[in-house]
Amino acid sequence: MSDKALGERVRELRGWLFTQRQLAERAGVSVDLVRKLEQGTRNSASVASLHRLARALDVSLAELVGPGSLPEQGSGEGVTALRFAVSGIDDLLDPSEIEPVEPREVERTLTYLWGVYWAGRYDQLVSLIPSALASLRAETGNPAAVAHGYWVAGCVLTQLRQPDAAFIAIRHAVDAADQSGDPLLAATLRGSLSWQLMVAGRFVESEALAVRAAEVIEPRGEVSPPGLSVYGSLVLTAATAAARARKNGRARNLLAESSQVAHRIGEDRQDYQTAFGPSQVAMQSVDVGVQTEEFGDALTAARVMPNAGAALPLASRARHLTDRALAHARLGQHDKAANLVLAAEQMAPDWAKHQTLVKSVTRDLLGTRESRTPRLRSMAGRIGVR
């Protein structure tokens, strides 16, 4: 049933249990929405409405919406729909076709989307974001919510290797954040744009943008923990960009500055959908060591990770394991590398199948006799490595 349209799944799940009106009443949505979905005149609904329909039909949201179609080259219609969503013109068309998000549902919708993102389940987000973004855009009085909608869309598109659409999404997010009146949100979105530039290989611009955004909100005197967290995260992003530009000394200096900020905060925090604290500094220290090809230093930095990275989001923990795997592989410690990359894939399977680094490390390990085990070959098949 996963390859069928949303309306077909609703109709089949409803079956003989409910009439369209009964399902609508049970779910707390309009009967017009149920009717249009089943007739195929509408192919989406808000995340909140989808949640209600799933509960009413006693299935998970993933079962209701079905997986997104995400081939390697990104030619699936799910990705195409997401690309169209970030450059949509629904505000210029008939607004009556857009299901608005009720104010009390906005935070719940965004919390859910970000939770799915940090769990690395990008396939599911491809199905959910287009309708959610259209609904959030209809809420013209809440630019912060619109910024978050574009932001999560841009982050997903980056993970799916759609850099042009991702850049459009994040630029929209920056513009909306600037209208929100929240300087920390505006700074954070510039940090995300810096990340986009880094992914595109524009390392010098990436570092410059992160540093400039950090300077605007540089903490002076008494500063709130969120303010310190956003500032520290921007400095850490600049360090990562500098490392990729092979500016090793600059990267180390920025890492040291971010470490001081993390020490000042004294804990791992999650502000503006961005993790920062001792764990994030440790994770990026490993990344910097890998990028500058100082693999021994990278593994030394990994030893100071608090609580095995338990405070990091799931996708970040999996990335940290993969960075460590790469360091071990480059030092000829192939068994340790294989164990770590297997652990990363087991921890976040949906995330792993979209990660170039995971595939690269796995491909290298398959070329070594001591690490070419049945488990590794099986994993390679799952993530599309031949």
Side-chain angles (χ1 to χ4, degrees):
M1 188 167 62
S2 62
D3 60 341
K4 296 181 178 178
L6 173 61
E8 291 182 82
R9 287 193 290 274
V10 170
R11 184 170 59 250
E12 289 192 7
L13 289 166
R14 178 174 64 82
W16 299 102
L17 296 175
F18 314 109
T19 65
Q20 289 180 338
R21 183 169 298 280
Q22 287 171 332
L23 174 59
E25 292 174 352
R26 181 182 173 90
V29 300
S30 69
V31 67
D32 184 62
L33 173 62
V34 175
R35 184 178 298 116
K36 286 183 175 179
L37 285 173
E38 293 194 4
Q39 291 174 344
T41 57
R42 284 193 57 169
N43 296 304
S44 63
S46 71
V47 174
S49 293
L50 292 173
H51 267 297
R52 294 191 186 106
L53 286 167
R55 284 196 297 268
L57 293 166
D58 196 25
V59 296
S60 69
L61 184 59
E63 290 176 286
L64 178 64
V65 301
S69 175
L70 303 173
E72 278 287 311
Q73 301 303 315
S75 60
E77 59 184 42
V79 175
T80 300
L82 184 53
R83 289 174 60 89
F84 286 168
V86 301
S87 55
I89 59 168
D90 43 75
D91 57 320
L92 304 178
L93 302 175
D94 183 0
S96 66
E97 289 300 310
I98 303 172
E99 184 188 8
V101 180
E102 296 180 20
R104 67 176 183 273
E105 297 284 1
V106 169
E107 184 175 356
R108 185 180 303 175
T109 294
L110 292 173
T111 298
Y112 182 80
L113 293 177
W114 278 117
V116 176
Y117 174 78
W118 286 117
R121 300 199 300 272
Y122 310 131
D123 297 31
Q124 187 174 350
L125 284 170
V126 164
S127 301
L128 295 175
I129 290 177
S131 60
L133 187 54
S135 297
L136 290 169
R137 276 196 296 249
E139 288 291 321
T140 55
N142 193 344
V146 175
H148 275 277
Y150 275 116
W151 186 10
V152 70
C155 290
V156 172
L157 285 162
T158 298
Q159 297 292 350
L160 301 181
R161 298 184 294 283
Q162 302 287 317
D164 54 341
F167 191 83
I168 290 171
I170 299 299
R171 281 308 308 258
H172 283 315
V174 169
D175 292 342
D178 286 345
Q179 296 171 25
S180 73
D182 185 340
L184 294 183
L185 178 60
T188 301
L189 262 300
R190 281 163 172 76
S192 185
L193 187 56
S194 171
W195 179 52
Q196 302 283 338
L197 292 170
M198 191 174 358
V199 171
R202 297 163 64 178
F203 306 132
V204 173
E205 293 167 286
S206 173
E207 180 193 343
L209 179 57
V211 168
R212 173 58 184 154
E215 289 173 346
V216 171
I217 61 164
E218 184 174 0
R220 295 179 176 85
E222 289 297 319
V223 180
S224 68
L228 285 172
S229 179
V230 171
Y231 175 79
S233 180
L234 286 165
V235 174
L236 199 54
T237 299
T240 307
R244 281 159 171 74
R246 298 303 174 93
K247 296 160 62 175
N248 297 14
R250 172 68 167 164
R252 294 295 176 191
N253 289 339
L254 289 165
L255 269 179
E257 183 178 351
S258 67
S259 181
Q260 291 174 1
V261 178
H263 180 74
R264 182 175 172 183
I265 295 175
E267 63 178 354
D268 290 300
R269 295 184 58 85
Q270 181 88 6
D271 296 293
Y272 293 90
Q273 296 301 325
T274 304
F276 182 75
S279 296
Q280 196 71 20
V281 171
M283 173 188 166
Q284 293 306 117
S285 296
V286 174
D287 178 84
V288 167
V290 167
Q291 294 299 326
T292 58
E293 299 184 354
E294 299 166 317
F295 302 114
D297 290 347
L299 294 175
T300 298
R303 297 191 190 110
V304 302
M305 173 66 76
N307 301 317
L312 295 172
L314 181 64
S316 296
R317 272 185 281 156
R319 172 60 190 236
H320 178 61
L321 292 179
T322 309
D323 277 338
R324 289 169 55 197
L326 177 59
H328 280 296
R330 292 295 184 269
L331 293 173
Q333 300 163 354
H334 298 127
D335 285 346
K336 290 181 179 179
N339 288 336
L340 286 168
V341 79
L342 283 164
E345 194 266 345
Q346 183 177 20
M347 177 184 293
D350 291 337
W351 170 88
K353 67 184 180 182
H354 297 296
Q355 300 304 308
T356 301
L357 182 60
V358 175
K359 295 180 180 183
S360 176
V361 173
T362 301
R363 191 174 289 110
D364 288 348
L365 290 171
L366 287 173
T368 64
R369 183 169 50 188
E370 62 267 35
S371 59
R372 192 170 59 241
T373 63
R375 287 184 64 210
L376 190 68
R377 286 197 295 268
S378 177
M379 190 199 93
R382 290 193 296 272
I383 64 174
V385 171
R386 298 291 181 262

